[in-house]
Structure formats: C-alpha cells, structure tokens
Amino acid sequence: MINTFFYKNSELAIEAMERGIHVYMEKPVALSIEELEELKSVWKQTKVKLSSMLGLRYTPHFWTAYKLINENKIGRIRLIHAQKSYKLGMRPDFYKQRRTYGGTIPWVGIHAIDWIYWLSGKKFKSVFARHSKLYNNDHGELEATAFCSFVMEDEIFATVNIDYLRPNDAPTHDDDRIRVVGTNGIIEVINGKVFLINNETKGVIEVHLESPPIVFLDFINYVRGKDECLVNAEDSFYVTLSSLLARQSADENRVITF
C-alpha cells in the first residue's frame, strides 16, 4: 500500500512495480500528466495489479445507487450533479503548495469525478472548471472552492462542486452527494442514504442499502486473478487524467477537450 505525500505517489508506485510488487495506492495516482504517462508505461511493462483509493465506490449508498442504475430504474442518464464538501481544519504544510499537494480538484474532486464516470459508464469529452484560493484560512496555494462542468458521451451533462468550507462543528468530516437524472426517474444520494423516484414508486422513496464488496478483499481477489477489481488500474488512470485536465481547465480558464 502506498499512502504518502501526494507528490510521491507515482514515484513509489513505479519503484514497487519495477520490483514486481502489486500496488494499492492513494489517489490521485499522479500529479501531472507526464507522471501519469510514465506510471501507465511501467504498469504495462510489468503487468502487476494496480488499484487506487477511490474507495467511496465501496460504500453502501454509492454501491446501491450503482446497482439501481444498472437495474434500469431511471432509464437513460441525462444529467448528473455531484458534491464534495470537506472540513478544512489546519492542514500540514505540503497542502499549501501546488507542487506537493496537486490541487483540490485532483485531491478532493476526483471522488465526485469518479462517481460520475462509474455510475454513467460513459467517458468525458470536454471540461470547463474554475477554482479559487480565497478564504482558505492561510493555506497558501490550496484552493478552497472549485467547480467542474463536463460534457460526456451521449450528450450527458455532469457538474461537480467542491469546497473546504464545511463548518468545524458539522457532524461529519465530509458531505458527499450526487443526483442522477434519467429519462424515467431520478436517484439522489445524500447523508449516506439513497432516494429514488420513478413511474413505479408513487413519490420519493428511501431505498434499502445493499452490501458492497469489501475493499481490500476485492483487491486481494484481483491480485489472485479471481475477479476484476471494482477500481481497476484503467479506472485509476482515467479518473486521474480527468481530474488533471479539469485542473488545467481551471488554471487556464478555458474548455479542455479530452
């Protein structure tokens, strides 16, 4: 397992893979596209198993939403909106510099970007994003707020809002939400619960949560060749690339095409 300063993630993963060691690593798996391409190249050469800590796929609420969508409970997806909100607190110094932190979109927003990709099963075509360092409580280059707007395959539109402004007295560290709008219904995940409305529900209903796979057991089975991992290497690379392109869009204030 690689869980270190973010700017060392890809370097240590490459070292491990070159030694033939399977890798379960913190996200994002790289802080630049150049690092990501090198990581992918070594992975292809060594053929080891790799997964990353996009672990919110393994929570009961997001797993239940995933199953409902795959059971066609809302028809064809047309719109998605996701939210990541964290408490800021007092972060270590490496959060205060882009070169060591990587940015709030790749560190925090990557989870929401991953949900969008995973739940829809579609790839991104373009992104426009912005971020701001204002009101970051003296955390240097750390962005306290951000948003991303994606155009996806099949003309699906997806948006993400990200912030470090969750109050310190809030009952949980994070506030994760998603709303998925389909041609036949809507799914919402909020406060660890899943709500569904479609032509069969007679109003909004709270859905019983399903039990997801166990994250480390899933990775062990992946290594043993028994099953495909819920977060495989290709997913880890693609979602990292998507978050880095969104960061580039925010830096340059322009639309980036995939």
Side-chain angles (χ1 to χ4, degrees):
M1 178 185 291
I2 295 172
N3 186 8
T4 180
F5 299 112
F6 310 146
Y7 67 96
K8 289 183 175 289
N9 284 345
S10 61
E11 174 188 345
L12 295 180
I14 287 170
E15 177 73 19
M17 288 190 292
E18 288 179 339
R19 298 185 182 199
I21 299 171
H22 301 294
V23 173
Y24 184 79
M25 64 186 299
E26 179 61 286
K27 48 74 192 170
V29 299
L31 295 192
S32 71
I33 292 176
E34 293 75 18
E35 287 181 357
L36 179 61
E37 289 304 314
E38 183 181 5
L39 183 70
K40 288 168 62 177
S41 176
V42 174
W43 172 75
K44 289 177 181 177
Q45 293 169 21
T46 59
K47 299 180 181 180
V48 302
K49 303 294 187 181
L50 182 146
S51 181
S52 63
M53 296 182 194
L54 297 170
L56 290 170
R57 291 192 185 191
Y58 293 89
T59 59
H61 40 291
F62 284 109
W63 175 250
T64 299
Y66 173 75
K67 292 197 70 176
L68 290 170
I69 290 168
N70 279 273
E71 291 167 2
N72 199 34
K73 296 296 185 181
I74 62 169
R76 293 185 176 272
I77 294 173
R78 305 309 307 138
L79 291 170
I80 308 176
H81 178 68
Q83 170 182 299
K84 284 293 297 182
S85 178
Y86 279 168
K87 296 179 182 179
L88 179 57
M90 294 302 299
R91 300 271 166 165
D93 285 344
F94 76 90
Y95 278 85
K96 300 175 183 179
Q97 299 180 64
R98 167 67 71 83
R99 67 176 183 84
T100 53
Y101 171 50
T104 293
I105 292 174
W107 168 240
V108 182
I110 192 170
H111 285 294
I113 294 169
D114 178 56
W115 307 333
I116 290 169
Y117 169 61
W118 176 52
L119 294 177
S120 69
K122 301 296 181 181
K123 290 193 171 183
F124 302 108
K125 297 183 70 175
S126 67
V127 60
F128 178 74
R130 294 297 301 270
H131 50 201
S132 172
K133 295 176 285 189
L134 293 179
Y135 309 108
N136 70 2
N137 196 23
D138 296 322
H139 278 74
E141 296 176 348
L142 178 146
E143 300 93 0
T145 53
F147 82 87
C148 308
S149 178
F150 294 95
V151 176
M152 308 183 73
E153 294 175 322
D154 293 347
E155 295 185 7
I156 297 170
F157 304 135
T159 51
V160 177
N161 63 270
I162 309 153
D163 70 80
Y164 269 116
L165 300 178
R166 188 157 171 77
N168 288 332
D169 292 334
T172 59
H173 170 68
D174 50 7
D175 184 4
D176 299 336
R177 307 183 184 198
I178 197 164
R179 182 174 187 264
V180 186
V181 179
T183 53
N184 296 327
I186 298 170
I187 287 172
E188 292 187 275
V189 177
I190 182 171
N191 295 331
K193 298 179 179 180
V194 179
F195 299 94
L196 170 68
I197 184 169
N198 61 23
N199 293 331
E200 301 173 359
T201 60
K202 298 180 180 179
V204 179
I205 62 167
E206 182 178 345
V207 181
H208 173 74
L209 299 181
E210 300 282 347
S211 297
I214 299 170
V215 57
F216 292 116
L217 180 59
D218 193 39
F219 181 65
I220 290 170
N221 287 334
Y222 181 40
V223 168
R224 291 173 175 170
K226 293 182 179 180
D227 295 294
E228 183 70 8
C229 192
L230 190 58
V231 182
N232 60 28
E234 290 90 345
D235 289 346
S236 302
F237 299 146
Y238 185 73
V239 175
T240 296
L241 173 65
S242 302
S243 69
L244 293 175
L245 291 176
R247 184 189 69 186
Q248 180 184 348
S249 172
D251 286 343
E252 299 177 1
N253 189 25
R254 68 182 180 93
V255 174
I256 298 289
T257 301
F258 281 63

